[in-house]
Amino acid sequence: MTHSHEPLLRVSDLTMMYGDRVGCRNVSFELRPGEVLGIVGESGSGKSTLLRSIAARQEPTKGTVEYHTRIDGIRDVYQMSEAQRRLLMRTDWAFVHQNARDGLRMNVSAGANIGERLMAVGDRHYGNIRNAAENWLGKVEIATERLDDLPSTFSGGMQQRLQIARNLVTSPRLVFMDEPTGGLDVSVQARLLDLLRGLVHDLNLAVIIVTHDLAVARLLSHRLMVMQNGQVIESGLTDQVLDDPQHAYTQLLVSSILQN
Ligand SMILES: Nc1ncnc2c1ncn2[C@@H]1O[C@H](COP(=O)(O)OP(=O)(O)OP(=O)(O)O)[C@@H](O)[C@H]1O
């Protein structure tokens, strides 16, 4: 069991180069259980590169990502075997994509999308799996009578909520989110944000969320990292960073939002 004073995740000196081009450079931070970290910055600043490198989706050029696993204690995720890393990614970790289609299987039912992740961790009891799927549809505010429908018959907001249910059914402790409300109508975004905030709080999830939307960052994150040209130029408590930005770039980012 992880004690709350121990970090769940430790990222040290993470650098990702694409040839000569910097994706992200020298990023270090720790994340505790239940903590929500927002990564903000303009397009091309390295947010997605950093997220992918932390989430074991793209091996960095340099640096380490250590995670406090339930079974083996602290492990460097890039030193794990492929099988161990895959297991981690579909049990204790989750990844919510901006485009729900990237995180769902569109040719199987909503219920199967949720159940599949449970089966991947060894659950074989059909009744239990169906109950869990129904339960999770309810939690993400989708009518349970839609259990056997294909995700392609869902609205964009419903697909995103289904993706969240599929991700959370295995009770992960760390969730990566890449612009989870991007591409949705403003009213749909607000409802989704509300739902996410409730789930993150109720399930005590640690989250790393990439967003270019400072309002989303403010609502969900405890702490913020501001990126520019692949580097973290400012970090701190969300309210501190947004209300009293120290770096000129952060000041510009905050004031440009306020003017809109
Ligand atoms: N697969 C790739 N190959 C080469 N260069 C890449 C690749 N992915 C990203 N980059 C470069 O790395 C830098 C950071 O890009 P990244 O996509 O991480 O930024 P971002 O902040 O997530 O941007 P956005 O908000 O537009 O998604 C950019 O200069 C980009 O051109």
Side-chain angles (χ1 to χ4, degrees), residues 13 28 44 48 76 118 126 217 259:
D13 209 19
S28 299
S48 301
D76 180 332
L118 281 178
Y126 178 77
Q259 279 159 17

Side-chain angles (χ1 to χ4, degrees), residues 11 14-19 21-25 46-65 76-78 82 85 89 93 95 176 178:
V11 172
L14 205 70
T15 297
M16 178 70 206
M17 300 295 295
Y18 299 105
R21 187 180 298 133
V22 176
C24 63
R25 186 172 0 216
K47 306 180 297 295
S48 301
T49 296
L50 177 59
L51 193 73
R52 284 197 302 270
S53 300
I54 301 168
R57 288 169 171 261
Q58 182 177 51
E59 186 155 7
T61 315
K62 198 177 77 161
T64 56
V65 178
D76 180 332
V77 300
Y78 285 104
E82 186 61 32
R85 197 158 49 232
M89 288 167 82
W93 283 13
F95 198 105
F176 301 95
D178 193 359

Side-chain angles (χ1 to χ4, degrees), residues 9 18 46 54 57 62 86 90 102 105 109-110 132 141 146 153 173 188 196 207 227 230-231 239-240 249:
L9 182 82
Y18 299 105
I54 301 168
R57 288 169 171 261
K62 198 177 77 161
R86 281 188 172 281
R90 52 176 201 231
D102 294 335
R105 289 224 291 135
S109 69
E141 300 165 8
R146 304 296 300 264
T153 66
R173 289 185 300 164
V188 177
L196 272 179
V207 179
M227 295 191 72
Q231 278 171 298
D239 289 344
Q240 238 163 41
Y249 172 75

Side-chain angles (χ1 to χ4, degrees), residues 54-75:
I54 301 168
R57 288 169 171 261
Q58 182 177 51
E59 186 155 7
T61 315
K62 198 177 77 161
T64 56
V65 178
E66 293 167 297
Y67 181 69
H68 198 137
T69 63
R70 287 185 202 257
I71 299 167
D72 300 322
I74 295 172
R75 297 287 312 275

